[in-house]
Amino acid sequence: LLPRCTTDVKLLQLPDTHRRSSDWYFELVFDPLVETSTESLFKQSSAGVSRTDTPPQLRKFFHSQNSSRFWVDRVAVARHQQSQDALCLVLYQDKISACRKEVREGLYTLQKAAESFGSEFPDILCVIQAPGYDGGHDVFKGFCYPLLTVTA
């Protein structure tokens, strides 16, 4: 389960048009037997970052295959504890500097990653870890996906 809201974990944005409540995301569970995939979901070319043909899967944990962090650091698929058929793609961007510019750039890459999954996953949760960030919510304007921000 995702941690409940504390002073360090906040669901900062849930788009107005979104079909789920914030509580729904805190009821996500990850399968206990998860293996780390050696495949990558994203690749870099001269044209920029794009998706590979590898689909995200239950019981597989994907991490960036490149230290320069193309779009996201980690990706996993979670189930909803009440409805085992309801899957949610969870995209993580870890340890972003608390600087407003870096937080904004991290959000931009998370949104690009989420958009790249199109209709594959109707539910996507983005998680950004920005230790010490307290610069206000204006950097989150225009972000189109449910967002969990960890500031510890």
Side-chain angles (χ1 to χ4, degrees):
L1 291 171
L2 292 171
R4 276 281 169 197
C5 289
T6 67
T7 56
D8 297 330
V9 179
K10 303 170 181 130
L11 192 58
L12 290 178
Q13 181 169 348
L14 195 60
D16 292 337
T17 58
H18 202 67
R19 65 192 185 112
R20 304 283 189 193
S21 72
S22 60
D23 287 340
W24 189 87
Y25 294 96
F26 287 103
E27 295 170 350
L28 293 174
V29 293
F30 296 90
D31 287 335
L33 300 174
V34 174
E35 68 179 72
T36 301
S37 176
T38 58
E39 299 176 281
S40 182
L41 298 175
F42 302 101
K43 63 185 175 187
Q44 172 118 18
S45 68
S46 59
V49 178
S50 61
R51 284 277 313 280
T52 64
D53 293 333
T54 303
Q57 302 168 27
L58 278 170
R59 298 186 181 92
K60 287 219 176 184
F61 174 79
F62 296 86
H63 58 86
S64 176
Q65 299 293 321
N66 187 299
S67 61
S68 62
R69 192 186 282 172
F70 300 133
W71 283 354
V72 296
D73 288 317
R74 297 177 285 134
V75 177
V77 178
R79 292 181 194 268
H80 190 266
Q81 67 181 359
Q82 300 298 324
S83 171
Q84 293 295 304
D85 293 337
L87 301 179
C88 182
L89 185 67
V90 184
L91 306 173
Y92 299 88
Q93 187 68 284
D94 292 332
K95 296 184 182 151
I96 301 295
S97 161
C99 157
R100 291 172 67 79
K101 178 181 180 228
E102 299 236 356
V103 170
R104 190 175 295 116
E105 288 172 2
L107 291 170
Y108 174 78
T109 60
L110 269 176
Q111 181 142 318
K112 295 295 276 181
E115 289 169 352
S116 75
F117 289 98
S119 61
E120 291 175 70
F121 286 87
D123 292 299
I124 297 176
L125 173 64
C126 296
V127 180
I128 188 168
Q129 182 185 16
Y133 182 74
D134 64 355
H137 301 294
D138 63 318
V139 297
F140 303 106
K141 287 184 180 171
F143 195 78
C144 301
Y145 295 90
L147 177 68
L148 183 70
T149 301
V150 180
T151 58

